Every structure is written in C-alpha cells, then in structure tokens.
Amino acid sequence: MLCFRREDADMLLAQMDGDMRAGSTVVPVALNKVIQLKSDGVAFRFLPDSSQVANAIKLMQDEGKFVNEGFPGVPIFQSRSLVLMSDNKRYRPVFFRKEDLDNSLHRASRDQQKPNPVFRIGETQVSSLEDIIKSMKDSSSSEWDDAVFIPPGLDIATISRPSLANN
C-alpha cells in the first residue's frame, strides 16, 4: 500500500494485526522508485489523500460533471495557466494537493502582477495519477511528456520561477 500522507500510512499500520505489523514499517519512497516497482511487476495500490479526493470531486462537480462513484484513483491537479521554464523549455507542474496548485497560482499572479487565473472557469483541471502513468507508459509521445510532478508541500518557487502562460 502506498500512501501520500505519512499520517495515513501510520494509521494503516496501526490497524494491521500483530504479525503483519511486526514486519512492516513506514518509509518515504520517491515516485520514480514507485514507477520502477510497477515496471518490475511489484503489485501495490495507491491510497489517495481523502481531502484531495474531495477537492477533485468538488472541482468536477463545479465543471458540471456527474460524479456518483467517487474519484477513480489518486487526484492530480494542474492549471493551463501555470508553467515552469528551464533551458527555454516549458513544463507543466502537476500537483498532488490542490492547495499547492492554488498557492503556486497566487504566487505567480502576485509576482507577475496579473489577475489570478485560478478563478477562470476550466483553468484548474484534475486527472488521475494512474491515467497519467498509463498514458506516459503506453505512448512515446504522451500528452504528459512535459509534466513535472510536484511533491506535496513543495514550493515550486524553490525549483524554478513559475510563470503564468500567455493564453
């Protein structure tokens, strides 16, 4: 089981029976290592952060999409307006927490003295991590080739200066 919050992993571990818990521990694992595990045939399941699932469902409902079965996987949030630039290449940051995307949009808006794009309809989008990984794996020219996964809580201003795309 792979959790996105240490608190969720600790709670899951505490719920295990004694024998299973004795040999288990909570350790952080980088996403690229998780992808490698999947490639090596290791079976696992992502356990999404419930608050982010709620954010994803609300966002979908706000866009007029019918949601009755919950969200199918781990929600990933992005905005068409937010890009990272490096060596004259554009990258799309994708976030595991909607709050991190919102904070990055507010910062980019403030730094560039432009209106905040987060309030424009359709600017914030949600996808599932599983669908993104599948798309990246199944195609040599995936629509996600320019995606950069931003770990929860990381301020992207420490990576690169985020900017608002000129749409």
Side-chain angles (χ1 to χ4, degrees):
M1 204 52 97
L2 295 167
C3 301
F4 285 87
R5 291 185 333 145
R6 181 170 189 100
E7 298 83 11
D8 292 339
D10 290 336
M11 185 175 63
L12 187 63
L13 186 61
Q15 292 173 358
M16 291 179 173
D17 65 31
D19 291 340
M20 188 179 274
R21 186 178 348 157
S24 301
T25 186
V26 174
V27 295
V29 179
L31 187 57
N32 64 330
K33 300 295 184 194
V34 172
I35 303 303
Q36 186 60 48
L37 288 173
K38 181 71 172 170
S39 297
D40 293 344
V42 175
F44 61 84
R45 181 170 178 247
F46 288 116
L47 183 64
D49 180 341
S50 60
S51 67
Q52 298 313 311
V53 170
N55 284 336
I57 290 170
K58 181 175 182 337
L59 186 61
M60 291 173 71
Q61 289 171 336
D62 290 349
E63 293 174 355
K65 296 179 182 171
F66 180 70
V67 183
N68 69 344
E69 297 280 327
F71 189 82
V74 175
I76 298 293
F77 302 92
Q78 67 168 334
S79 172
R80 292 183 194 126
S81 297
L82 190 65
V83 296
L84 297 175
M85 297 294 293
S86 177
D87 297 327
N88 292 325
K89 291 184 182 176
R90 294 168 55 106
Y91 297 97
R92 284 184 299 158
V94 293
F95 298 82
F96 289 92
R97 293 189 334 197
K98 184 175 180 302
E99 297 83 0
D100 293 340
L101 170 59
D102 292 345
N103 290 339
S104 294
L105 284 166
H106 286 290
R107 177 177 297 224
S109 175
R110 185 186 67 228
D111 290 351
Q112 295 180 13
Q113 299 175 348
K114 291 185 178 180
N116 190 339
V118 77
F119 299 113
R120 286 191 233 147
I121 300 297
E123 287 297 321
T124 300
Q125 303 153 329
V126 63
S127 303
S128 83
L129 175 62
E130 295 83 352
D131 287 346
I132 294 170
I133 291 171
K134 183 177 182 338
S135 175
M136 290 175 146
K137 185 179 163 200
D138 291 349
S139 173
S140 60
S141 61
S142 164
E143 69 177 285
W144 296 100
D145 285 347
D146 62 345
V148 176
F149 292 96
I150 306 300
L154 180 68
D155 181 355
I156 64 171
T158 62
I159 301 171
S160 168
R161 179 168 218 128
S163 63
L164 299 176
N166 294 324
N167 292 349

